[in-house]
PDB file of all heavy atoms in Angstrom:
ATOM      1  N   ILE B  19     -14.930   3.932   3.667  1.00  0.00           N
ATOM      2  CA  ILE B  19     -14.415   5.249   3.785  1.00  0.00           C
ATOM      3  C   ILE B  19     -13.664   5.687   2.536  1.00  0.00           C
ATOM      4  O   ILE B  19     -12.898   4.781   1.916  1.00  0.00           O
ATOM      5  CB  ILE B  19     -13.713   5.572   5.023  1.00  0.00           C
ATOM      6  CG1 ILE B  19     -12.427   4.627   5.134  1.00  0.00           C
ATOM      7  CG2 ILE B  19     -14.527   5.494   6.263  1.00  0.00           C
ATOM      8  CD1 ILE B  19     -11.406   5.045   6.289  1.00  0.00           C
ATOM      9  N   THR B  20     -13.645   6.901   2.208  1.00  0.00           N
ATOM     10  CA  THR B  20     -12.680   7.404   1.199  1.00  0.00           C
ATOM     11  C   THR B  20     -12.009   8.604   1.694  1.00  0.00           C
ATOM     12  O   THR B  20     -12.571   9.597   2.102  1.00  0.00           O
ATOM     13  CB  THR B  20     -13.513   7.926  -0.156  1.00  0.00           C
ATOM     14  OG1 THR B  20     -14.109   6.651  -0.642  1.00  0.00           O
ATOM     15  CG2 THR B  20     -12.610   8.544  -1.104  1.00  0.00           C
ATOM     16  N   LEU B  21     -10.739   8.619   1.547  1.00  0.00           N
ATOM     17  CA  LEU B  21      -9.808   9.624   1.980  1.00  0.00           C
ATOM     18  C   LEU B  21      -9.520  10.432   0.700  1.00  0.00           C
ATOM     19  O   LEU B  21      -9.077   9.929  -0.262  1.00  0.00           O
ATOM     20  CB  LEU B  21      -8.513   9.220   2.695  1.00  0.00           C
ATOM     21  CG  LEU B  21      -8.666   8.256   3.853  1.00  0.00           C
ATOM     22  CD1 LEU B  21      -7.363   7.915   4.493  1.00  0.00           C
ATOM     23  CD2 LEU B  21      -9.669   8.755   4.834  1.00  0.00           C
ATOM     24  N   GLU B  22      -9.670  11.777   0.722  1.00  0.00           N
ATOM     25  CA  GLU B  22      -9.472  12.624  -0.459  1.00  0.00           C
ATOM     26  C   GLU B  22      -8.238  13.224  -0.525  1.00  0.00           C
ATOM     27  O   GLU B  22      -7.647  13.642   0.530  1.00  0.00           O
ATOM     28  CB  GLU B  22     -10.564  13.670  -0.512  1.00  0.00           C
ATOM     29  CG  GLU B  22     -12.001  13.170  -0.498  1.00  0.00           C
ATOM     30  CD  GLU B  22     -12.396  12.592  -1.786  1.00  0.00           C
ATOM     31  OE1 GLU B  22     -11.735  12.670  -2.708  1.00  0.00           O
ATOM     32  OE2 GLU B  22     -13.515  11.831  -1.923  1.00  0.00           O
ATOM     33  N   CYS B  23      -7.637  13.368  -1.626  1.00  0.00           N
ATOM     34  CA  CYS B  23      -6.343  14.045  -1.969  1.00  0.00           C
ATOM     35  C   CYS B  23      -6.443  14.774  -3.371  1.00  0.00           C
ATOM     36  O   CYS B  23      -6.729  14.103  -4.234  1.00  0.00           O
ATOM     37  CB  CYS B  23      -5.299  13.091  -1.861  1.00  0.00           C
ATOM     38  SG  CYS B  23      -3.538  13.873  -2.127  1.00  0.00           S
ATOM     39  N   SER B  24      -6.102  16.076  -3.252  1.00  0.00           N
ATOM     40  CA  SER B  24      -6.133  16.729  -4.474  1.00  0.00           C
ATOM     41  C   SER B  24      -4.988  17.789  -4.408  1.00  0.00           C
ATOM     42  O   SER B  24      -4.665  18.235  -3.544  1.00  0.00           O
ATOM     43  CB  SER B  24      -7.380  17.642  -4.551  1.00  0.00           C
ATOM     44  OG  SER B  24      -8.552  16.846  -4.684  1.00  0.00           O
ATOM     45  N   GLN B  25      -4.380  17.834  -5.660  1.00  0.00           N
ATOM     46  CA  GLN B  25      -3.199  18.771  -5.831  1.00  0.00           C
ATOM     47  C   GLN B  25      -3.450  19.711  -6.981  1.00  0.00           C
ATOM     48  O   GLN B  25      -4.156  19.385  -7.963  1.00  0.00           O
ATOM     49  CB  GLN B  25      -1.911  17.946  -5.996  1.00  0.00           C
ATOM     50  CG  GLN B  25      -1.891  16.910  -7.051  1.00  0.00           C
ATOM     51  CD  GLN B  25      -1.274  17.208  -8.420  1.00  0.00           C
ATOM     52  OE1 GLN B  25      -0.684  18.397  -8.572  1.00  0.00           O
ATOM     53  NE2 GLN B  25      -1.323  16.385  -9.284  1.00  0.00           N
ATOM     54  N   THR B  26      -2.966  20.890  -6.905  1.00  0.00           N
ATOM     55  CA  THR B  26      -3.101  21.948  -7.929  1.00  0.00           C
ATOM     56  C   THR B  26      -1.857  22.289  -8.774  1.00  0.00           C
ATOM     57  O   THR B  26      -1.803  23.323  -9.506  1.00  0.00           O
ATOM     58  CB  THR B  26      -3.622  23.353  -7.218  1.00  0.00           C
ATOM     59  OG1 THR B  26      -2.654  23.549  -6.272  1.00  0.00           O
ATOM     60  CG2 THR B  26      -5.024  23.051  -6.509  1.00  0.00           C
ATOM     61  N   MET B  27      -0.909  21.443  -8.679  1.00  0.00           N
ATOM     62  CA  MET B  27       0.497  21.723  -9.311  1.00  0.00           C
ATOM     63  C   MET B  27       0.588  21.068 -10.655  1.00  0.00           C
ATOM     64  O   MET B  27       1.672  21.162 -11.249  1.00  0.00           O
ATOM     65  CB  MET B  27       1.576  21.324  -8.266  1.00  0.00           C
ATOM     66  CG  MET B  27       1.510  22.157  -6.898  1.00  0.00           C
ATOM     67  SD  MET B  27       2.517  21.429  -5.701  1.00  0.00           S
ATOM     68  CE  MET B  27       1.575  20.066  -5.201  1.00  0.00           C
ATOM     69  N   GLY B  28      -0.363  20.107 -10.980  1.00  0.00           N
ATOM     70  CA  GLY B  28      -0.302  19.517 -12.312  1.00  0.00           C
ATOM     71  C   GLY B  28       0.795  18.355 -12.185  1.00  0.00           C
ATOM     72  O   GLY B  28       1.265  18.018 -13.325  1.00  0.00           O
ATOM     73  N   HIS B  29       1.056  17.845 -11.111  1.00  0.00           N
ATOM     74  CA  HIS B  29       2.011  16.831 -10.884  1.00  0.00           C
ATOM     75  C   HIS B  29       1.599  15.525 -11.528  1.00  0.00           C
ATOM     76  O   HIS B  29       0.423  15.216 -11.330  1.00  0.00           O
ATOM     77  CB  HIS B  29       2.327  16.635  -9.481  1.00  0.00           C
ATOM     78  CG  HIS B  29       3.310  17.645  -8.916  1.00  0.00           C
ATOM     79  ND1 HIS B  29       3.564  17.870  -7.470  1.00  0.00           N
ATOM     80  CD2 HIS B  29       4.026  18.582  -9.546  1.00  0.00           C
ATOM     81  CE1 HIS B  29       4.420  18.848  -7.370  1.00  0.00           C
ATOM     82  NE2 HIS B  29       4.795  19.241  -8.532  1.00  0.00           N
ATOM     83  N   ASP B  30       2.468  14.749 -12.138  1.00  0.00           N
ATOM     84  CA  ASP B  30       2.189  13.497 -12.712  1.00  0.00           C
ATOM     85  C   ASP B  30       2.019  12.399 -11.652  1.00  0.00           C
ATOM     86  O   ASP B  30       1.108  11.684 -11.609  1.00  0.00           O
ATOM     87  CB  ASP B  30       3.133  13.070 -13.788  1.00  0.00           C
ATOM     88  CG  ASP B  30       3.185  13.931 -14.944  1.00  0.00           C
ATOM     89  OD1 ASP B  30       2.080  14.115 -15.438  1.00  0.00           O
ATOM     90  OD2 ASP B  30       4.301  14.384 -15.427  1.00  0.00           O
TER      91      ASP B  30
END
Side-chain angles (χ1 to χ4, degrees):
Chain B
I19 58 170
T20 296
L21 307 185
E22 301 288 348
C23 177
S24 294
Q25 50 99 2
T26 60
M27 296 167 285
H29 284 164
D30 291 314

